[in-house]
Amino acid sequence: MRTRLLLLGLVAVQIAWYSPRLPHVIASHFDVAGRPNGWMSREAFVGVYVGVVLLLTVVFSGIRFVPPSLLNLPNKEYWLAPERRAATVTRVAGELTSFANATLVLVLATFELAFRANLPGGTFAAEVMWVVLGVYLVFIVARLVRFVRSWSR
């Protein structure tokens, strides 16, 4: 939870820092080489950013409210037996927190690159974006493998 609050704080600082420095119309989408190919108003761009962050926060925080019967786990009958159900839901929520935090870091980094690209003389660092995406993908695959293996019994 502390990590999520730190990340949300960074999003707020990022918005407060960049918003007054950006032009009224900014590049909001870039091709694979980092060339802008979509634009929107600064306010709409910040609104999309806030909306994405809120949606991610709500979706990943909502796992505790999903009925355990809707969880798809290996050996589901074992892990969702009444004596293990609460611990299983807590454990799944903890695992999803790491996915949520990684996804929030990805979004934060993506918007950072877009903000910087829209400053005077700025360009979108596509090579950095590819590295960020690669690290995210490796992290997600590694966590998924670990997750599935840890539930096998």
Side-chain angles (χ1 to χ4, degrees), residues 27-39 117 123-126:
S28 58
H29 192 270
F30 302 84
D31 66 16
V32 296
R35 292 181 299 263
N37 61 6
W39 292 262
T123 59
F124 189 82

Side-chain angles (χ1 to χ4, degrees), residues 29-133:
H29 192 270
F30 302 84
D31 66 16
V32 296
R35 292 181 299 263
N37 61 6
W39 292 262
M40 65 175 52
S41 72
R42 173 183 56 210
E43 293 77 15
F45 187 75
V46 170
V48 166
Y49 188 20
V50 169
V52 167
V53 169
L54 288 176
L55 179 65
L56 284 172
T57 302
V58 168
V59 167
F60 280 108
S61 298
I63 187 61
R64 293 192 185 274
F65 304 106
V66 172
S69 61
L70 294 179
L71 295 177
N72 188 9
L73 299 170
N75 303 308
K76 184 177 182 172
E77 298 76 26
Y78 173 82
W79 292 110
L80 293 177
E83 64 273 13
R84 284 180 285 281
R85 183 173 293 186
T88 297
V89 170
T90 298
R91 185 172 163 203
V92 169
E95 291 288 339
L96 284 178
T97 295
S98 68
F99 286 105
N101 290 342
T103 303
L104 200 49
V105 167
L106 172 67
V107 169
L108 201 138
T110 301
F111 276 83
E112 176 70 20
L113 293 173
F115 282 134
R116 287 181 180 204
N118 282 286
L119 294 175
T123 59
F124 189 82
E127 62 283 349
V128 174
M129 187 70 234
W130 286 112
V131 169
V132 168
L133 283 171

